[in-house]
Amino acid sequence: MKAKLVVPNDLSAIKLWQYQKFLKLQEESEDDKFLSMKLIEIFCEVDLADVMKIKLNDVMRIANHLTNLLNNQPKLVKHFNMDNIEYGFIPNLEAISMGEFVDLDTYLSDWQQMQNAMCVLYRPVKDKYKEKYTIKEYTAEGQEKMKNMPMDAVLSSILFFYHLGSELSATMMNYLQTDQMSLTSQQQETLAQNGVGINQFTHSLKGILHELNISLN
C-alpha cells in the first residue's frame, strides 16, 4: 500500500510548529539530502521511511517547491480560522499596551517562541461588523495553541512589522534632523532613545527574515 503524499500549495496549509521543527533541525545539520527528506516529512506529514521510497527527482522537486513557498512575501493576513475560532490581527496598533509591546519585542526575535508573539498579534474576534472588528483582551494564556496557526499569517505579520518599524525609524530620524533646534534637550534625548529602540526592533525582524532567505526589496 502506497502512502498518500499531500504537498502544501499555499503557506496557509503550513503550520507554525512545522516550521519551528524544521528550523531546529536545520540548525543542527548541514546535510542537504537529509534536510530535503525532513522538509517533506514535516511539511507533508508523512513518515521518513515513506519519503525514502520516493524517487530522487521527485524529492528534490517537492523540496524546492516547499522552499519556494517559505520564501513568499504574503500580504498581511488579518483573519484566519483555527479550531473553529476566528482570529483577528490586532486592529488598533496605536492602542497597544506596554505589556503587549514588551512581549512582542521579546518573542519576535526567537523562532522557537514565536507562538508567544503571535498570541499578542492575533486574538479571538469578539465582535465583527463588515470590515470592523474587536478582539479579546491580551493574556499570556493559550500561547501553545498558536503553534497551529498558518504560516502565511506568521510571515505576513513579521513583514508588516519590519516595514512599519523601518518607516517609523526613518520618520523619527528625519524629524530629529529637521526640527532639532526647536526641541528641548530632554525632548531630543527622548526621541533619540525611541529611535534606537525602533532600530533595534527592526534589526531583530530583519534577522528573522534573513533566516528565511526572504528578500526585503
Side-chain angles (χ1 to χ4, degrees):
M1 180 177 177
K2 293 184 178 180
K4 184 178 180 181
L5 189 67
V6 179
V7 181
N9 286 315
D10 191 88
L11 276 173
S12 61
I14 296 176
K15 298 176 181 178
L16 173 57
W17 71 262
Q18 292 175 303
Y19 183 75
Q20 289 175 317
K21 184 176 181 179
F22 178 73
L23 183 61
K24 195 169 184 179
L25 287 171
Q26 195 175 41
E27 292 172 348
E28 298 171 351
S29 175
E30 296 182 356
D31 188 329
D32 290 338
K33 294 185 180 64
F34 171 75
L35 290 174
S36 293
M37 291 187 295
K38 295 298 288 186
L39 189 69
I40 297 173
E41 176 195 23
I42 294 170
F43 294 121
C44 299
E45 298 189 68
V46 62
D47 291 337
L48 185 61
D50 291 320
V51 178
M52 296 286 288
K53 299 174 184 178
I54 303 174
K55 293 180 181 179
L56 177 60
N57 288 341
D58 289 336
V59 168
M60 301 312 297
R61 178 177 57 81
I62 296 170
N64 287 334
H65 166 74
L66 293 171
T67 300
N68 289 334
L69 271 186
L70 291 170
N71 286 338
N72 285 339
Q73 297 189 37
K75 293 182 179 179
L76 180 62
V77 175
K78 292 186 176 181
H79 301 274
F80 66 85
N81 287 283
M82 183 172 65
D83 298 329
N84 296 319
I85 298 174
E86 182 180 14
Y87 287 78
F89 184 78
I90 183 169
N92 186 5
L93 287 172
E94 293 183 357
I96 191 170
S97 70
M98 177 57 72
E100 290 169 343
F101 178 78
V102 169
D103 283 354
L104 193 60
D105 188 36
T106 300
Y107 297 122
L108 266 178
S109 60
D110 185 352
W111 264 109
Q112 296 307 320
Q113 298 190 77
M114 189 61 71
Q115 68 276 6
N116 299 339
M118 293 299 116
C119 196
V120 177
L121 296 180
Y122 290 96
R123 289 173 243 160
V125 173
K126 287 198 306 182
D127 301 298
K128 187 176 181 181
Y129 179 73
K130 295 183 178 180
E131 298 298 320
K132 295 184 178 181
Y133 60 95
T134 60
I135 56 177
K136 289 188 176 181
E137 185 176 349
Y138 171 65
T139 67
E141 298 178 359
Q143 293 172 334
E144 289 302 301
K145 291 182 180 179
M146 302 306 284
K147 287 186 175 182
N148 288 318
M149 70 179 287
M151 277 299 291
D152 61 338
V154 176
L155 291 182
S156 69
S157 60
I158 292 174
L159 283 165
F160 175 82
F161 269 91
Y162 171 78
H163 291 300
L164 178 64
S166 296
E167 291 175 6
L168 286 174
S169 179
T171 300
M172 188 168 289
M173 290 304 101
N174 182 63
Y175 182 79
L176 278 172
Q177 292 172 359
T178 57
D179 293 343
Q180 195 171 27
M181 296 300 294
S182 62
L183 299 175
T184 66
S185 59
Q186 184 177 0
Q187 288 173 325
Q188 291 179 27
E189 182 179 355
T190 299
L191 285 172
Q193 289 175 348
N194 288 339
V196 170
I198 291 171
N199 283 329
Q200 290 175 340
F201 186 60
T202 302
H203 180 73
S204 296
L205 296 181
K206 188 175 182 180
I208 292 171
L209 297 173
H210 178 71
E211 289 179 359
L212 288 165
N213 295 318
I214 292 178
S215 170
L216 296 175
N217 295 325

